[in-house]
Amino acid sequence: MTSKTHGSRAARISARGFLTTVAGFALLYGASAATGQAFAQTSTTDSEQAADQPSQREQSNTLSLEEIVVTGRPGGAGMRKLDASFAITTMNNDAINKFAPKSTADLLKAVPGVWAESSGGESGANIFVRGFPGAGDAEFVTIQVDGMPIFPPPTLSFLENSSLFRIDETVERMEALRGGPNPVFSNGQPGVTVNFIQKQGGPETEGIIKLSGTDFGEKRVDVQMSGPLADDLFYSFGGFYRTSNGIRDAEFNSERGGQISANITKLFDNGQINVYTRFLDDRGAWLLPIPLLSDENGNIEDFPGFDRGTGNLIGNDNRLGVIETGRNGETRRLDLADGRGAELFMIGGSAEFEFDGGWTVREKFNYMSGDANTIGLVPADTPRTLGDILAGIDTNGVGGTFSFTGTGAQITDLSQQALTAGMWSVEKDIESFTNDFSVAKELFEGNTFTVGLYISDYSSNDLWFLGNNQLLAAEENARRIDLSLNDGTQVTRNGFIGAPFFDVNAAYNGRNIAAYFADEWQITPDLRIDAGFRIENQNIDATLENVDFGVDLDDDPTTLFNNNAAVLNGSFRTINFDETETSWTIGANYNLNQDMAIFARVNNGQKFPQFDNLRDGADGIQSIDQYEVGLKASTDMVSVFATLFYNDFKGLPEQRFIDGENVVIISGSNAIGVEGEFVVRPFEGLSLALTGTWQDADFDGNSVNAGNRVQRQPKLQLRFTPSYDIALPWGFATLYGTFTHVGDRFSDSENQQVLEDYQKLDAGIVMDVDNWTFQVTADNLTDSHGLTEGNPRVLGAQTGTAIFARPILGRSFRFSLSYNF
């Protein structure tokens, strides 16, 4: 057996990016020494801003309009929510801990206007925004750390960027900006930008040690500590490690890994510099649709012997596999324990300095390198009896013998249910360097003009082998099955009934350069307007190996398991893409009083094609117009943040078969909706929070599916969270729960795979005693089995009583004990 090594290791650092950053910081340091303004007295650091905010417990129950937000701002300048002319949701560390997300994507369920399917595990989520069309992944979601994208393309095949970040105690807060000025700043994301802001050190030494466990066997430890190194130099570091077999028990340690991060903050008289580094090595099983039963009325039940909430096809018997990848006997050993995850090294930083004459200079950078691989068991054909499978293969009627691969035991009962699932291998070696430099000048009192330059250089080296179907018993932790016909034909090889059907060997490089301009004008004490413009060039080049299809790997027609393979053939083609587009935004905010404001905004953004689009010949640029009107108010008793939105999407490529030819039709979609966050506090201690989104999103224009609803997204989703704080003689306790309603959806753009509405109930309690905190959270307390997708590899309605679909994860409990110092 031979095996290829593909890609670099995570700790490789780009010398060019590192030297560029060092040089930029050196210039800023020299300038700061020359000016000597009292920045520490006229500008606040993140730590000082946090000190001015309400307590963490208070913030988690209110929509404070005094809170400072930095996402979507020119260069990351801070602004009160009251004055912001855009819709943004914030959650601090305390609120995140109460939510107890099972993954980064799971946290986004708390953000109105966003629909997150996190039933795929720690990685591999599908995230949708405000009715933007998409079949999966997270095309319109940017994940940032301290205001910089982790990886500039929001989505590549088998890589949505929430998979590249893990939430732990090093996170101070999250900010999620929808629409608004998004198309102009950072990587020009028209959808949602989710910014995770890390804790920074302050003048006091403090930290946390937390131990967590679950009823399904997960063990986890989190640590975080920060404090001073000198009067003007502060540190923060922390991380986590966890291990488990998963809620969907894989029979082995399928969820494992951790993260470590550190940052240092240096204060100057007129500014500050922060530099951070993160290392992530974490992976989990890729959870895909499982077998279910569906009656003629669409009611879903458990497939016999397969629990909807905890069942898993993956198990010890099918964990390891050797796939055939080429004519010359080339093979690869795969381990499903490698799952889907990332091994990444990241270094980044920011600097901000003020100078005489109303000048402010801001610099941010991020470098990332590593691997984001996927080894998964992907369902293919729905369950059938072995007799039906044999009849479909044994066309000459010679008969055959089934046996379990692991034990060799013969299977005589041909009513045994079996299915096929592919052992897919996707290796991605990714790297990026991103830089955002801006200069702001106060032109006159109340008016600030900003000019900025955004640069990103990113790459992905891909090696895929999709297919490799195995014949498996239709059961939890499925056993492999072999079949040989009585005439000597070998249908399977160690359970494999097929070879790769699609291969990719590609090296992609992308470069985006954008200049942006923004002007903010406080016309009156209550009226503020802002406008922004962006011009951006994207240049992509790639080299891809060509593929031969329908190849018999051993030139033996009696070995059916490798008779119809896809093989990389040693010849190559190239891709070149070079286009320039513009985006813009204009917004206004009017403060009705100190507790209430209204805002309005219009923007136009662009979505450039990424690597996989260009590989498939889809080189169109999609354009999105968005319109927003919002109200925000916060009093002692009531808080409201509501936004009415409309978006118009153009340039959507769709495939249509006309006279036997595959024709690409350019169409679009539109959506109207309202999203909101509401909190009522009828008396001290009780908080009633409601988060929700109603939207109506349809395909239009020349769409193949004109008039159909955009797939995967519910018209209505609601989250109601009552919370009650109790002061006790020995400490403090908070009781809370969340009722979630998710409306019906369609799994496909043809609107034939219906996903029924469902409800979910969560609950928790937090108890504080001196420096100790004990927390219990119950997820899916009623063990709901709502579906988040059908079989995305089947077009149209799924027929028959046995289907594939992916339910939400079953009931689970998490316990944590932490010590704060």
Side-chain angles (χ1 to χ4, degrees):
M1 181 178 74
T2 61
S3 178
K4 296 180 182 177
T5 300
H6 185 75
S8 65
R9 301 312 302 158
R12 189 181 68 239
I13 301 178
S14 163
R16 178 182 60 182
F18 183 74
L19 291 175
T20 300
T21 301
V22 170
F25 276 175
L27 288 173
L28 289 171
Y29 183 92
S32 70
T35 56
Q37 288 188 354
F39 180 86
Q41 299 176 8
T42 60
S43 177
T44 58
T45 68
D46 286 346
S47 299
E48 292 168 333
Q49 289 171 357
D52 292 336
Q53 302 299 316
S55 68
Q56 285 192 339
R57 191 176 296 276
E58 181 184 359
Q59 284 189 55
S60 67
N61 294 328
T62 64
L63 299 174
S64 172
L65 296 182
E66 295 300 313
E67 184 177 4
I68 303 298
V69 295
V70 297
T71 309
R73 301 281 298 123
M79 169 180 282
R80 294 188 304 170
K81 268 189 178 181
L82 179 68
D83 303 319
S85 54
F86 46 78
I88 188 167
T89 295
T90 59
M91 294 181 72
N92 65 10
N93 179 267
D94 182 66
I96 292 172
N97 282 332
K98 284 179 62 177
F99 192 92
K102 294 181 292 296
S103 65
T104 303
D106 199 48
L107 181 64
L108 301 191
K109 293 177 181 177
V111 180
V114 175
W115 166 238
E117 297 175 356
S118 58
S119 54
E122 183 73 49
S123 302
N126 298 307
I127 309 172
F128 305 92
V129 184
R130 285 185 169 180
F132 286 19
D137 292 319
E139 297 181 69
F140 299 99
V141 181
T142 289
I143 303 295
Q144 293 184 343
V145 174
D146 289 347
M148 292 299 287
I150 297 176
F151 190 57
T155 284
L156 301 178
S157 290
F158 302 99
L159 179 63
E160 50 78 29
N161 287 352
S162 76
S163 301
L164 304 180
F165 184 83
R166 301 291 186 269
I167 299 170
D168 60 18
E169 291 296 329
T170 66
V171 173
E172 176 189 295
R173 68 186 191 275
M174 177 203 74
E175 299 182 355
L177 169 64
R178 289 91 67 195
N182 263 333
V184 172
F185 305 118
S186 184
N187 62 337
Q189 172 61 260
V192 61
T193 296
V194 182
N195 187 11
F196 289 97
I197 298 168
Q198 302 178 96
K199 292 179 180 177
Q200 295 184 14
E204 301 293 331
T205 297
E206 56 187 13
I208 183 172
I209 300 174
K210 182 164 75 172
L211 302 177
S212 305
T214 67
D215 64 323
F216 57 87
E218 178 180 302
K219 302 173 183 64
R220 173 166 169 151
V221 57
D222 287 76
V223 297
Q224 190 273 330
M225 184 174 178
S226 63
L229 294 172
D231 289 343
D232 54 5
L233 186 65
F234 309 102
Y235 73 92
S236 177
F237 76 88
F240 77 92
Y241 186 81
R242 56 94 185 227
T243 177
S244 87
N245 287 7
I247 297 177
R248 297 192 179 277
D249 187 1
E251 297 187 321
F252 56 84
N253 189 1
S254 62
E255 311 276 341
R256 70 192 192 280
Q259 177 174 263
I260 187 168
S261 62
N263 69 73
I264 292 179
T265 303
K266 169 69 174 176
L267 298 183
F268 300 88
D269 288 341
N270 66 325
Q272 69 173 22
I273 290 176
N274 175 265
V275 177
Y276 65 86
T277 185
R278 298 177 75 91
F279 179 74
L280 170 70
D281 186 0
D282 183 73
R283 58 200 63 252
W286 185 21
L287 305 178
L288 290 152
I290 61 175
L292 300 168
L293 292 182
S294 175
D295 64 21
E296 63 275 7
N297 297 318
N299 297 315
I300 303 297
E301 299 294 339
D302 285 348
F303 188 86
F306 212 107
D307 187 276
R308 281 178 285 175
T310 60
N312 197 341
L313 280 175
I314 297 172
N316 279 326
D317 191 80
N318 60 53
R319 171 180 171 175
L320 299 178
V322 176
I323 64 171
E324 297 180 278
T325 61
R327 292 186 179 92
N328 301 320
E330 295 173 346
T331 60
R332 299 180 73 81
R333 176 187 178 276
L334 303 180
D335 184 351
L336 290 175
D338 291 334
R340 189 166 186 174
E343 183 180 353
L344 301 175
F345 173 79
M346 185 188 311
I347 185 170
S350 61
E352 178 177 350
F353 291 94
E354 294 183 354
F355 301 94
D356 291 333
W359 293 90
T360 302
V361 177
R362 298 182 178 94
E363 158 72 11
K364 293 184 292 185
F365 82 98
N366 179 293
Y367 171 80
M368 183 273 295
S369 176
D371 302 318
N373 300 335
T374 296
I375 308 295
L377 193 61
V378 181
D381 293 331
T382 51
R384 296 177 291 160
T385 66
L386 291 180
D388 288 341
I389 292 173
L390 179 60
I393 296 172
D394 182 18
T395 56
N396 295 324
V398 299
T401 301
F402 290 96
S403 60
F404 287 113
T405 305
T407 64
Q410 187 172 332
I411 306 172
T412 58
D413 183 4
L414 295 186
S415 66
Q416 162 80 49
Q417 294 279 321
L419 53 84
T420 56
M423 204 174 198
W424 288 20
S425 172
V426 176
E427 298 178 27
K428 302 181 82 72
D429 173 17
I430 58 176
E431 183 178 18
S432 69
F433 176 75
T434 310
N435 199 86
D436 192 332
F437 179 79
S438 66
V439 177
K441 175 69 169 71
E442 186 177 9
L443 299 181
F444 50 88
E445 185 176 357
N447 185 280
T448 301
F449 183 79
T450 302
V451 58
L453 180 66
Y454 170 87
I455 299 173
S456 64
D457 189 302
Y458 48 95
S459 65
S460 180
N461 293 318
D462 289 20
L463 186 62
W464 305 6
F465 297 102
L466 310 187
N468 313 301
N469 284 349
Q470 299 180 79
L471 183 60
L472 302 172
E475 61 189 13
E476 293 186 12
N477 312 124
R479 291 170 290 175
R480 292 167 296 152
I481 295 175
D482 274 315
L483 169 61
S484 60
L485 301 185
N486 293 339
D487 63 0
T489 299
Q490 296 298 310
V491 179
T492 64
R493 174 191 59 82
N494 295 327
F496 284 97
I497 199 169
F501 66 74
F502 188 73
D503 300 345
V504 171
N505 181 23
Y508 304 99
N509 291 93
R511 293 162 296 280
N512 285 52
I513 300 177
Y516 59 86
F517 310 88
D519 190 79
E520 301 177 317
W521 189 7
Q522 193 73 42
I523 297 177
T524 72
D526 296 318
L527 177 62
R528 176 184 170 277
I529 63 172
D530 66 272
F533 178 80
R534 177 188 185 95
I535 181 168
E536 180 172 10
N537 173 263
Q538 175 172 282
N539 184 287
I540 289 177
D541 58 76
T543 300
L544 301 94
E545 189 170 357
N546 294 314
V547 181
D548 293 333
F549 296 95
V551 176
D552 185 345
L553 294 181
D554 59 5
D555 295 320
D556 183 353
T558 67
T559 54
L560 302 187
F561 52 82
N562 61 11
N563 281 1
N564 190 28
V567 177
L568 298 166
N569 66 19
S571 67
F572 297 87
R573 63 187 176 98
T574 60
I575 293 174
N576 296 102
F577 178 87
D578 191 342
E579 294 289 344
T580 300
E581 280 290 344
T582 60
S583 301
W584 55 268
T585 184
I586 184 168
N589 186 84
Y590 185 73
N591 295 339
L592 300 173
N593 55 49
Q594 62 181 3
D595 299 321
M596 182 181 298
I598 56 175
F599 68 89
R601 181 171 294 276
V602 58
N603 72 42
N604 170 262
Q606 314 297 326
K607 179 182 180 294
F608 285 100
Q610 291 300 337
F611 300 151
D612 304 285
N613 308 117
L614 297 172
R615 183 194 66 231
D616 296 336
D619 60 356
I621 299 174
Q622 301 171 36
S623 178
I624 305 99
D625 294 319
Q626 297 185 75
Y627 306 85
E628 303 171 70
V629 178
L631 167 70
K632 49 198 169 177
S634 184
T635 67
D636 291 338
M637 182 171 289
V638 178
S639 296
V640 178
F641 206 134
T643 305
L644 174 68
F645 63 85
Y646 175 81
N647 62 59
D648 187 19
F649 200 103
K650 299 181 180 67
L652 178 67
E654 293 184 87
Q655 293 182 338
R656 176 181 292 179
F657 287 93
I658 301 176
D659 297 329
E661 295 186 6
N662 185 17
V663 178
V664 176
I665 303 295
I666 303 300
S667 63
S669 69
N670 61 73
I672 187 170
V674 61
E675 60 191 27
E677 300 172 85
F678 310 90
V679 178
V680 177
R681 294 170 290 277
F683 54 84
E684 186 175 355
L686 179 63
S687 171
L688 305 174
L690 178 68
T691 300
T693 306
W694 176 88
Q695 66 181 31
D696 187 7
D698 301 307
F699 293 104
D700 65 5
N702 298 322
S703 173
V704 178
N705 303 297
N708 287 354
R709 281 170 56 184
V710 169
Q711 70 263 45
R712 307 290 283 267
Q713 303 181 52
K715 276 194 172 183
L716 177 67
Q717 54 174 319
L718 296 171
R719 286 176 49 86
F720 174 63
T721 303
S723 177
Y724 185 57
D725 296 333
I726 309 170
L728 301 170
W730 43 264
F732 199 89
T734 300
L735 302 173
Y736 61 95
T738 297
F739 172 80
T740 300
H741 169 82
V742 176
D744 62 4
R745 293 134 291 133
F746 292 100
S747 184
D748 60 335
S749 59
E750 291 84 2
N751 286 187
Q752 296 184 49
Q753 290 186 22
V754 180
L755 302 174
E756 298 291 344
D757 65 283
Y758 68 88
Q759 291 74 41
K760 179 172 174 279
L761 181 64
D762 309 318
I765 180 171
V766 181
M767 292 183 289
D768 296 317
V769 182
D770 295 327
N771 290 32
W772 296 89
T773 299
F774 177 68
Q775 181 173 359
V776 180
T777 56
D779 181 76
N780 195 4
L781 194 59
T782 58
D783 207 23
S784 172
H785 298 302
L787 301 183
T788 57
E789 75 173 19
N791 188 349
R793 282 153 283 281
V794 173
L795 298 178
Q798 299 188 76
T799 59
T801 58
I803 66 170
F804 277 129
R806 183 162 63 183
I808 62 176
L809 300 177
R811 177 173 49 235
S812 65
F813 296 87
R814 179 175 296 275
F815 313 87
S816 68
L817 178 65
S818 58
Y819 179 74
N820 300 270
F821 58 90

